[in-house]
Amino acid sequence: MSERLAPTTTPDTKFFWDALKDGKLLIQRCKGCQTLRHPPRPMCPRCNALTWDTIEASGKGEVYSFVLPRHPRWPWFDETYVVALVQLEEGVRIVSNLNDVDAADVTIGMPVEAYVEHFDNVSLPQFRPRRNA
Amino acid sequence: MSRSLAGKAAIAGIGQTEFSKASGRSELQLACESIKSALDDAGLAPRDVDGMVTFTMDSSEECEVARNLGIPALRYFSRTTYGGGGSCAVVMHAAMAVATGAADVVVCWRAFNERSGMRFGGAAMQGASMLPPFLDMYGPYGLLTPASWVAMQARRYMHEYGATNEHFGRIAVVDRKHAANNPGAWFYQRPITLEDHQSSRWIVEPVLRLLDCCQESDGGVAVVVTTPERARDLKQKPAVIRAAAQGAYDDGEMCTSYYRDDVAGLPEMAVVGNKLWKDSGLKPSDIQTAFLYDHFTPFVLVQLEELGFCKRGEAKDFATVERLSIGGELPINTSGGLLGEAYIHGMNGLTECVRQIRGTSVNQVPGVEHALVTAGTGCPTSGLILGSS
């Protein structure tokens, strides 16, 4: 087991982090106009409704952008790790890690799928190349 | 009465400390030294000052600066947000104060020990267990530094337009070429080649190498803003504000605007540019030299596009060393920029453009009538056009 830097949960983001503890990746949905949004925030920018619910993401997405941070080195990561901006099939994007792949094989547009990893101090969405893509 | 700042304020004085990696004194002292230097340059005294603008990130309190300099009464003081994104906004705020009569003489400064003291770049996270809220969606995944935030956006730009890290390297070569001729620059007499750039180590692969990233510096820079009428009676040739603007754009974040339909651009800078061209009545071909904020080289290319110097996606061909160097069509960052001279959060690029208007740069461009200055990008930003009249 290992740790990651943990988020400071706010009233606006608590649902997102809590659901990950239960293994679910949620996307916020406006109750006024049904628009999905991520990262979580209190007001819908389209209709200004303050009421919202959530849907569970399918976890399917594509790499929209990615980088390999090399410096500085951090205690929480291996020498090579991939940070990806993933476009989920529901239409929102999320930053996460892309694992189980050689960094040299990562491409923009690559199909990926989400899973939840339970670190010692926090549960986080993670991605890997999509099987049966 | 025209509703713009064009011609209603001027920069009458500039000042700075030396730029170093360890100043050996407090940030407050650096602030006071740089402001005094700017007032001396203008031919004004601390008692003439009645306004102040600095960055929200600056550690020096207005009242502490005033009591050190001996400024008796302040009528206007404000701060600008988003770090280096406010490096032109400080002048805009000062110009608005002067134009409306809220104050007559406003000093703007930025002073820090960014290298020897509190460093940016995530160093503070080394012993941390919890993230500040703005990093909640990034820090757990190891996106912890400004370089990495910018690189994620720049990687998409590379994908969409075919730009490579070697294209970015030309900006580093230009900056270091100009710094090499500037005795005040950290990298004085130390130019680099594109080969040097290409062999420097990755900071964020495959976007940023070491030589794509600005320095970390200790130092202070200040400017004095007053009315053009008063400035004309002072010691220096005034650099007149022809336009000043701040810019933020839909669905943006501080440095992680990853959620828009288009992630490859810097729409904040388009907001700034559109306002600058409209208020000044100028166009890109009217600009003789520019400081384009160069914390990380890729966004210099994107700025060239957003400001209309070239079309979208064409900066990789437009941004040649020849075109952007002294003697070229659009010399940029003539003091060496944040890569070559020092990283004083953009304020040293502003003062260099004032020197270009005065005709006193060590890398003087002939016949400068208009100079363009931009502030930190990837975040909400700002910009200025300075004129010789």
Side-chain angles (χ1 to χ4, degrees):
Chain A
M1 293 295 280
S2 59
E3 291 199 345
R4 288 286 180 90
L5 272 173
T8 304
T9 301
T10 73
D12 298 325
T13 60
K14 186 172 186 299
F15 78 92
F16 179 78
W17 302 112
D18 282 352
L20 287 162
K21 291 178 197 165
D22 298 329
K24 291 179 180 164
L25 174 59
L26 298 185
I27 305 171
Q28 198 177 24
R29 179 174 62 184
C30 174
K31 274 193 174 176
C33 69
Q34 311 303 310
T35 304
L36 299 174
R37 61 184 193 255
H38 182 85
R41 76 202 79 149
M43 183 179 279
C44 173
R46 190 154 169 256
C47 75
N48 294 158
L50 291 166
T51 52
W52 50 268
D53 57 12
T54 59
I55 63 165
E56 187 171 348
S58 74
K60 290 181 187 166
E62 290 183 354
V63 174
Y64 188 81
S65 186
F66 70 96
V67 294
L68 282 63
R70 294 294 188 190
H71 177 85
R73 294 285 310 279
W74 306 104
W76 312 283
F77 295 94
D78 294 336
E79 185 174 349
T80 295
Y81 65 102
V82 180
V83 187
L85 177 61
V86 175
Q87 173 98 36
L88 295 176
E89 67 173 3
E90 290 85 357
V92 299
R93 293 189 200 119
I94 183 171
V95 167
S96 181
N97 298 114
L98 182 55
N99 304 316
D100 303 335
V101 61
D102 189 325
D105 294 334
V106 180
T107 55
I108 289 178
M110 174 178 200
V112 293
E113 64 183 15
Y115 63 100
V116 175
E117 187 160 347
H118 301 286
F119 295 90
D120 287 351
N121 61 336
V122 63
S123 297
L124 297 175
Q126 297 282 278
F127 285 81
R128 60 193 167 212
R130 202 188 310 163
R131 292 159 190 163
N132 312 316
Chain B
M1 181 177 161
S2 112
R3 294 182 63 245
S4 91
L5 279 171
K8 292 181 183 151
I11 297 176
I14 57 175
Q16 66 186 59
T17 66
E18 83 289 0
F19 303 139
S20 74
K21 301 297 178 187
S23 75
R25 51 207 197 274
S26 72
E27 294 184 336
L28 177 60
Q29 181 170 335
L30 295 175
C32 294
E33 287 181 31
S34 59
I35 294 167
K36 183 64 167 62
S37 157
L39 290 168
D40 289 346
D41 179 64
L44 289 165
R47 66 176 175 278
D48 297 316
V49 175
D50 63 352
M52 285 185 176
V53 189
T54 185
F55 294 40
T56 51
M57 288 179 78
D58 200 272
S59 69
S60 296
E61 292 288 335
E62 288 82 350
C63 56
E64 291 296 333
V65 170
R67 77 176 343 166
N68 275 276
L69 281 158
I71 295 169
L74 283 176
R75 298 180 181 86
Y76 174 80
F77 29 103
S78 73
R79 291 192 174 222
T80 63
T81 48
Y82 297 106
S87 61
C88 293
V90 289
V91 173
M92 179 191 178
H93 287 215
M96 289 194 294
V98 163
T100 58
D104 292 324
V105 173
V106 183
V107 291
C108 309
W109 81 86
R110 179 71 171 121
F112 57 15
N113 288 321
E114 199 282 326
R115 182 61 183 81
S116 68
M118 172 69 186
R119 297 176 67 183
F120 302 161
M125 303 292 8
Q126 289 288 8
S129 59
M130 294 282 278
L131 290 157
F134 81 94
L135 278 178
D136 278 355
M137 296 294 161
Y138 312 103
Y141 314 103
L143 213 59
L144 284 157
T145 64
S148 65
W149 308 330
V150 163
M152 184 69 88
Q153 204 176 333
R155 177 72 188 86
R156 184 69 196 185
Y157 174 84
M158 294 164 79
H159 173 75
E160 294 198 11
Y161 298 115
T164 65
N165 173 259
E166 189 175 317
H167 290 120
F168 303 153
R170 295 168 189 168
I171 302 300
V173 172
V174 168
D175 279 6
R176 292 291 293 271
K177 183 176 177 179
H178 293 158
N181 196 38
N182 173 9
W186 181 258
F187 286 116
Y188 178 50
Q189 296 180 331
R190 282 186 282 174
I192 58 166
T193 64
L194 196 54
E195 292 68 35
D196 295 330
H197 172 272
Q198 286 294 291
S199 59
S200 68
R201 67 190 165 103
W202 286 115
I203 301 300
V204 187
E205 191 177 347
V207 183
L208 299 174
R209 295 180 185 275
L210 178 66
L211 294 177
D212 291 301
C213 304
C214 70
Q215 301 178 55
E216 297 185 83
S217 307
D218 287 10
V221 172
V223 302
V224 181
V225 178
T226 188
T227 61
E229 297 74 26
R230 185 158 185 184
R232 276 191 279 274
D233 292 335
L234 296 173
K235 270 169 66 179
Q236 308 293 344
K237 176 182 175 180
V240 179
I241 311 297
R242 302 312 315 174
Q246 289 183 279
Y249 192 74
D250 184 39
D251 210 5
E253 293 189 355
M254 186 190 70
C255 248
T256 45
S257 296
Y258 302 152
Y259 308 101
R260 298 164 171 157
D261 289 343
D262 177 10
V263 173
L266 291 169
E268 300 86 356
M269 192 53 78
V271 170
V272 168
N274 292 339
K275 179 74 171 159
L276 294 181
W277 302 131
K278 176 169 175 278
D279 283 1
S280 67
L282 299 170
K283 54 189 183 303
S285 59
D286 296 320
I287 300 296
Q288 286 80 40
T289 183
F291 167 71
L292 300 179
Y293 196 99
D294 53 335
H295 50 355
F296 302 106
T297 54
F299 282 177
V300 175
L301 270 68
V302 186
Q303 288 184 76
L304 287 166
E305 297 173 7
E306 296 289 7
L307 292 164
F309 288 100
C310 61
K311 290 184 181 151
R312 240 359 239 292
E314 294 184 355
K316 66 179 175 14
D317 303 312
F318 179 86
T320 61
V321 172
E322 293 70 28
R323 179 177 273 127
L324 300 182
S325 297
I326 288 296
E329 178 186 320
L330 180 69
I332 65 164
N333 303 1
T334 52
S335 62
L338 309 182
L339 280 86
E341 185 185 40
Y343 174 69
I344 314 294
H345 242 164
M347 292 290 283
N348 51 314
L350 166 64
T351 47
E352 171 65 5
C353 285
V354 173
R355 285 188 289 265
Q356 287 287 354
I357 294 288
R358 292 178 179 179
T360 59
S361 170
V362 293
N363 287 311
Q364 185 62 44
V365 176
V368 176
E369 291 181 15
H370 302 108
L372 175 76
V373 192
T374 65
T377 54
C379 54
T381 187
S382 52
L384 294 171
I385 294 175
L386 302 177
S388 58
S389 57

